[in-house]
Amino acid sequence: MPVNSFEEYPMSWKPDISKSSAPLYIAIAEQLEEDIKDGKLSPGTKLPPQRELADFLDVNLSTITRAFKLCGQKGLIYASIGNGTFVSSDAATNKMLLPTSNSSQMIDLGSVIPENHSNEDITRYMKRMMNDPNFSNLFQYGRPEGNAWQTEAVMKLFEKVNFQTDQPVLLGAGGQNAIVGTLAALFQPGDRIGTDPITYAGIKTAATMLGIQLVAIQQRNGEMTREGILYACKNEHIKGLYVIPDFHNPTTHTMSMGTRKMIAEVARQKDLIVIEDAIYSFLKEKPLAPIASFAPEKVIYIASVSKTISPGLRLSYIVTPPALRKKIMETLYNINISVSLMMVELTARMIHDGIAQIILEKHRMYAKQQNALVNQYLGDYNILGEEECIFRWLLLPEKFTSVQFELLASKAGVQVYAAERFAVGNAKPVNAVRLAITAPENHLEQALIILKDLLESDGDYTFVD
């Protein structure tokens, strides 16, 4: 029997597992997941202390610990050392941000996908490449670091973002593949990694899959602070950092040079592994030097052509510290065996021949045109993002919550993504939505008109069938 009476005792969660035949810890975990997804436990709710919950259910403390661990690995709850356990801010949201089955009936400003006009250039170039008498050799397995000629092409790309390295470049099957491979190679289930409080959804899904917990680092002016990182090292025992210095997804922020150097310095001081996601850096006309320039022995630098040339190429470039290269290479081998040699060679040829740069310029030009349209319709609102960025961050008027606005926009035929989808742990996100701006121009204008009407409404938008 419980030691204490809970009849009049206030608890944020009083689970009923009397009807479950599963082992106790699984029954508790399943009930917690169900109550979160049903909305009985809202994001940010502080759960009862484990000892208190064990007393209430008349079970061993270890049973509660195992149940909480299961839910933590799924990203449903978040434990903050010294503060308690909370329902994660994004526990009830879908973290896979790709077009849905009903996206054909909706204008998609949710998925960040480059405009596809340049794919015709790639198709024409690939047809030319097919006439090469050695083309059939490209159907073989490739080398994990490519050949010297392909590496030379990568270095040409790196020059565009002020990055010089003498380290070999590993090849991955896209940015997400590189992130998952790096996490799986260097971190263990239960390890903690610091991120921005609002961050890329892909790092969240990858961390959840691998049982790694993300920790929100204190910010100032949209950037991690030295104090925040040191606090997380001491109190949250983080082993690494994940950062997006250029066109941060979703907030569009570009990290200052001072913060880049500070992160490099603290990584050395505290022996942290830094994953630098530079997937959007090539879109910037005047990029700052990456963090990897200042601490190459601590930073895994990941670049990709998915957002800057074409998603179909599925190719990323990974520069690692020499001490970590073997682990990452072996993990990528186990995940991929090999990336597509055809895609590696196609991309290398396009870089050497200047086609890749032409495509990059086309993407930038299109982004500028689309952003001018966004500014025309939403310029009176607080919408962040530079003219070269392919998404924007709309801070909403107080009358809306971000979840509410996403739902209203969806009902009106426009897909946008609420801040909660990007929130880490129990971080309370601002009321904002991310807008991808690479939809066809006529569709974008139609979507912007709808969003402007929503913003000008009283929050109780009426939909006409």
Side-chain angles (χ1 to χ4, degrees), residues 117-129 362:
H117 299 134
S118 297
N119 290 338
E120 296 174 2
D121 297 333
I122 298 172
T123 302
R124 283 193 294 270
Y125 196 88
M126 192 168 189
K127 286 179 179 178
R128 284 170 46 198
M129 197 170 83
K362 284 185 176 181

Side-chain angles (χ1 to χ4, degrees), residues 280-402:
Y280 296 106
S281 298
F282 295 130
L283 291 174
K284 294 186 71 70
E285 287 183 303
K286 297 179 180 179
L288 299 174
I291 299 168
S293 297
F294 307 111
E297 77 282 13
K298 289 297 176 187
V299 180
I300 292 93
Y301 178 86
I302 298 174
S304 167
V305 298
S306 298
K307 305 296 186 185
T308 52
I309 299 179
S310 174
L313 294 175
R314 304 311 310 142
L315 185 61
S316 56
Y317 304 118
I318 311 154
V319 180
T320 76
L324 304 178
R325 184 178 303 112
K326 186 172 184 290
K327 284 185 178 180
I328 295 176
M329 184 187 297
E330 289 175 350
T331 304
L332 289 172
Y333 171 82
N334 286 321
I335 295 173
N336 303 325
I337 300 295
S338 167
V339 299
S340 168
L341 180 56
M342 185 188 301
M343 294 298 102
V344 175
E345 181 66 13
L346 171 61
T347 305
R349 292 190 187 192
M350 289 195 299
I351 294 170
H352 279 298
D353 289 354
I355 302 299
Q357 186 60 32
I358 290 172
I359 292 173
L360 271 171
E361 294 295 342
K362 284 185 176 181
H363 284 322
R364 285 199 197 108
M365 183 70 69
Y366 188 75
K368 289 177 181 179
Q369 292 172 354
Q370 298 291 83
N371 276 312
L373 205 57
V374 173
N375 294 338
Q376 176 186 333
Y377 283 94
L378 302 183
D380 291 337
Y381 294 90
N382 195 356
I383 184 161
L384 308 180
E386 299 176 31
E387 62 176 1
E388 303 151 296
C389 192
I390 58 177
F391 53 92
R392 302 290 289 272
W393 189 236
L394 175 62
L395 300 174
L396 297 167
E398 290 184 2
K399 60 188 174 184
F400 296 105
T401 67
S402 47

